Amino acid sequence: MHETIFDKIVRREVPAEIVYEDDETLAFLDIAPSNPGHVLVIPKKNVRNVLDADKDTWMSVMETVRTIAPGVMKAVGATGINVISNAEESSGQVVFHLHVHLIPRFENDGHKLFVNKKYEEDEMSVVAEKIRTELAS
Ligand code: 5GP
């Protein structure tokens, strides 16, 4: 089992601004926020990321996201919120304990999250077929 700083936060060995807790999950402020009120929702269980998560663990994290997102937004006066979970290094995951970022958003806050690319001719249908084949196997 790979220990991370988030396990230490769960065990209260490292301080964190905890904003919500239930039996399965914990929510606390990100130490380097993308915007004020940036919250991380984690399972207390040691799980690497969504690719490694059992259904109950993932569902408990998602339920906490659903429960707290409106309050997080209201508390900081946000008009929107991004719900993002990075999985593995190439996606930007740095802490290898499943977490979902709740990033409050404001009009004209300067964020641009994703670039939009174009498919080459026929590429889109080829990619879709590959995914359908993979999911059917
Ligand atoms: P990732 O890039 O893995 O999706 O995001 C990890 C997040 O954890 C980062 O946004 C980072 O600021 C946050 N983080 C890393 N270490 C700590 C810590 O010790 N305490 C808190 N509250 N957040 C942390």
Side-chain angles (χ1 to χ4, degrees):
M1 190 173 78
H2 175 71
E3 275 267 319
T4 73
I5 188 86
F6 292 176
D7 295 292
K8 294 193 168 77
I9 289 174
V10 170
R11 295 197 299 266
R12 308 307 205 261
E13 292 166 10
V14 163
E17 286 291 353
I18 294 168
V19 296
Y20 178 88
E21 178 174 21
D22 60 24
D23 288 348
E24 286 84 31
T25 67
L26 196 66
F28 54 90
L29 293 187
D30 192 304
I31 205 165
S34 295
N35 268 333
H38 181 165
V39 166
L40 300 174
V41 178
I42 69 168
K44 291 181 175 175
K45 189 172 166 184
N46 184 299
V47 171
R48 181 177 171 88
N49 56 41
V50 64
L51 304 172
D52 183 43
D54 59 88
K55 184 176 177 182
D56 285 350
T57 301
W58 181 249
M59 294 304 279
S60 66
V61 169
M62 283 298 112
E63 179 56 10
T64 295
V65 167
R66 194 189 68 83
T67 301
I68 73 171
V72 171
M73 285 178 62
K74 209 168 165 193
V76 296
T79 50
I81 195 160
N82 288 116
V83 177
I84 300 169
S85 190
N86 299 325
E88 301 302 328
E89 252 173 57
S90 57
S91 75
Q93 187 175 14
V94 173
V95 179
F96 291 93
H97 183 126
L98 171 61
H99 53 280
V100 174
H101 295 259
L102 296 189
I103 304 174
R105 297 298 304 275
F106 307 86
E107 298 302 325
N108 305 314
D109 63 10
H111 284 253
K112 189 158 175 25
L113 282 177
F114 298 109
V115 293
N116 292 104
K117 297 183 177 178
K118 281 198 168 73
Y119 282 113
E120 300 298 327
E121 205 181 341
D122 295 335
E123 189 188 358
M124 193 172 177
S125 57
V126 170
V127 170
E129 187 54 26
K130 279 185 186 170
I131 294 172
R132 283 191 289 266
T133 302
E134 187 61 40
L135 297 183
S137 67

